[in-house]
Amino acid sequence: MELPDVQSTIPDVRINLTRVGVKNVKKLVEVSRPGKRPVIFISNFDVYVDLPGSLKGANLSRNFEVIDEVLQEAINGQVTEIEELCSVVARKLLDHHEYADRTEVQMRSEFMVRRDTPVSRTKCHEVVKVHARAIAMRTGHQPIIRKSIGAEVTGMTACPCAQDIVKDHAVRVMENLGIEAEKITAFFEEVPMATHNQRGRGFLCIETDDDQHVSLEAIIDVLKNSMSAQIYELLKRGDENYVVMQAHRNPRFVEDCVREMARRVVGEFGSLPGDSLVLIRQTNEESIHQHDAYAERKATLAELIAELNGD
């Protein structure tokens, strides 16, 4: 006896739905890398299709089938980037949902990055949050696919404003002690002044056409080098001194971090098509306030290049 297909019936209220699907599908993803060990991602997937007003429901079991099929391809070495994995899933969802004109796949992952501390070269690990996304839109020919890859990295920032206030006070104290101006200048060239610090969370995501490649490692490097200093899970005394001194020699507001990311994005990814979409966010958890500081920029790569060139 054939069971009725209730999802294919006509709904009582016939309106189109923008996104129907499943959220928080947990999967372990293994992505191969040429000449390197595979990267393991602990991932959550959100998978959506659009639904016409003529159908009561979407066949959600097909979403799970597609994810498992593509993950098996990744394990077999056929998928080498997580945004490519999302792209393949989005494309195959169109094949499995013949009524859908648009599919979307979001992937949130964590993976471990091995690092060496700056002075003692002590080995430690860092958890990096990774975001990938793909949207497939049906056309009369091949579907149009846009994919994105991004990461969130934690670092340290030092406040320039408070540092100038402390420095001004130190200069007056040293002058009252009779210390010569040349020695005061020489001192500040060697020892940066104290200021309050923040733990910063930088986020960078780049969206491109399906045929473009954006290096996740390069994104992480841009984020790490756009704050006052990098931070580490484990620090020896020499490492701790290095990190604190570096941060205070390189004070940055939350706005400075976003602008520095934009500058580095253009330098690193300037060869991408101009319509590549760049999203930059920085959140600083204040140490002397009860609020957080935040800055953001969203623009095409062409817009960022034009602004940095003074156009």
Side-chain angles (χ1 to χ4, degrees), residues 104-172:
E104 180 179 349
V105 180
Q106 298 178 9
M107 177 181 175
R108 300 175 302 280
S109 305
E110 291 184 349
F111 79 107
M112 301 296 291
V113 178
R114 285 200 242 179
R115 305 181 63 198
D116 293 337
T117 57
V119 177
S120 67
R121 313 311 296 176
T122 302
K123 296 189 179 301
C124 57
H125 289 83
E126 176 183 1
V127 176
V128 174
K129 294 182 179 179
V130 179
H131 301 256
R133 180 172 176 251
I135 296 175
M137 291 166 284
R138 198 185 299 278
T139 65
H141 305 284
Q142 293 295 321
I144 296 174
I145 297 180
R146 294 281 286 182
K147 64 182 182 181
S148 62
I149 181 69
E152 180 181 298
V153 170
T154 304
M156 176 181 178
T157 57
C159 177
C161 182
Q163 190 176 58
D164 276 353
I165 295 172
V166 174
K167 182 179 179 180
D168 181 70
H169 175 73
V171 168
R172 284 187 278 107

Side-chain angles (χ1 to χ4, degrees), residues 69-86:
E69 178 185 341
V70 176
L71 287 181
Q72 188 58 49
E73 292 178 0
I75 293 172
N76 294 335
Q78 299 177 34
V79 177
T80 58
E81 299 171 344
I82 59 171
E83 67 272 32
E84 179 191 353
L85 186 149
C86 292

